Amino acid sequence: MSATSQIWIDGVSAESLPLPDRGLEFGDGLFETLLSMHGQVPLLESHFERLKQGLHRLGFPDCAERARQCLQAALPALSNSAFTAIRLTVTRGSGPRGYVPPDPCEPRIIISSTDVARNAAVPLPQLSVVPAPLALANQPALAGIKHLNRLEQVLAARHARAEGADDALMLNERGEPVCMASSNLFAVVAGTILTPPLATAGIAGTRRRALIERWAPDLGLAVEERFFSLGTLNVASEVFCSNSLVGLRPVGQFGSRTWSSHPVMAALFERYRAELPA
């Protein structure tokens, strides 16, 4: 474990994961990726609202408050770091062999942190993007939440690296864009921000939610949640993405299409920056 990384299990500093654990064995759990700025986490309530939804969907006992307490216990250790990536993972804990979960179960809360060696309040350079080699599965029961089963994203990210790109565009089974491997997707068409709906696949990002509910309306920008074709990207005036660590990031290239200017994203990033801790 490097000097810039720390791990806590159930609120106690640790260096190893107790086994067995259903999160490792079956992906039976959830996670949240948080950005800490000197020990303060932007949009924390949105993260915990999504976590609670996931706990309910997977049939976990409501351990969100205990997860919050574990996080709060860890944050003082991060107060001297300007920017830290935190992963808060909740697994169903230990259990007997087999798929059937123990009832009752004792969820295990794992928090890990890694220092971010850049200013997270400054936009990152433009992304180059390639199509992912596989389609996102249609599964409404798991759509929106951050469950631990991420092999689709792992394969997409691996493909992007092999192609020399920064990220992969993930499509649904109808060939429509849904998201990037690690972020939500937006395209600006005729002055309107389009973003795919996430009822059957994809993650309902905290920054995506803030953009739809607050940032875009505050700037007088229209947002529509609807599916669009790959061809729509060719006529989009700009394309960008969002997640909890980058905020918003411009896409500069997809296939033969390139974008050099992102005025809508730039305005939204300034609105996002206004919500970051001072």
Side-chain angles (χ1 to χ4, degrees), residues 155-195:
L155 293 176
R158 179 176 181 270
H159 175 74
R161 182 178 62 183
E163 293 293 312
D166 298 307
D167 208 340
L169 178 66
M170 307 199 73
L171 312 177
N172 61 21
E173 294 169 344
R174 298 190 301 272
E176 298 161 326
V178 176
C179 59
M180 304 295 188
S182 58
S183 55
N184 291 122
L185 172 67
F186 303 89
V188 182
V189 178
T192 297
I193 303 169
L194 306 181
T195 189

Side-chain angles (χ1 to χ4, degrees), residues 10-196:
D10 292 328
V12 178
S13 180
E15 294 188 356
S16 60
L17 175 66
L19 295 177
D21 188 273
R22 290 182 60 87
L24 174 63
E25 293 175 337
F26 307 117
D28 191 1
L30 304 152
F31 72 103
E32 292 288 327
T33 303
L34 314 169
L35 173 66
S36 168
M37 302 177 64
H38 293 290
Q40 299 184 65
V41 179
L43 302 179
L44 183 60
E45 293 310 312
S46 292
H47 283 287
F48 272 94
E49 287 177 19
R50 183 174 59 190
L51 178 64
K52 289 178 182 178
Q53 292 173 0
L55 293 170
H56 176 72
R57 291 235 212 129
L58 297 187
F60 277 45
D62 186 359
C63 57
E65 187 56 37
R66 183 161 68 89
R68 186 190 294 268
Q69 292 169 0
C70 290
L71 176 63
Q72 294 299 333
L75 287 176
L78 309 178
S79 60
N80 292 327
S81 298
F83 303 100
T84 309
I86 301 173
R87 176 170 167 134
L88 190 163
T89 303
V90 182
T91 78
R92 209 182 296 261
S94 301
R97 183 183 180 282
Y99 290 137
V100 179
D103 186 16
C105 70
E106 296 184 12
R108 181 169 288 143
I109 297 167
I110 305 163
I111 295 173
S112 61
S113 71
T114 304
D115 286 352
V116 175
R118 68 173 186 85
N119 187 341
V122 174
L124 284 167
Q126 297 177 358
L127 287 162
S128 61
V129 179
V130 295
L134 74 168
L136 280 171
N138 183 342
Q139 181 46 269
L142 298 177
I145 63 174
K146 293 196 76 167
H147 57 80
L148 295 182
N149 298 272
R150 293 292 144 201
L151 281 178
E152 292 168 321
Q153 289 75 15
V154 168
L155 293 176
R158 179 176 181 270
H159 175 74
R161 182 178 62 183
E163 293 293 312
D166 298 307
D167 208 340
L169 178 66
M170 307 199 73
L171 312 177
N172 61 21
E173 294 169 344
R174 298 190 301 272
E176 298 161 326
V178 176
C179 59
M180 304 295 188
S182 58
S183 55
N184 291 122
L185 172 67
F186 303 89
V188 182
V189 178
T192 297
I193 303 169
L194 306 181
T195 189

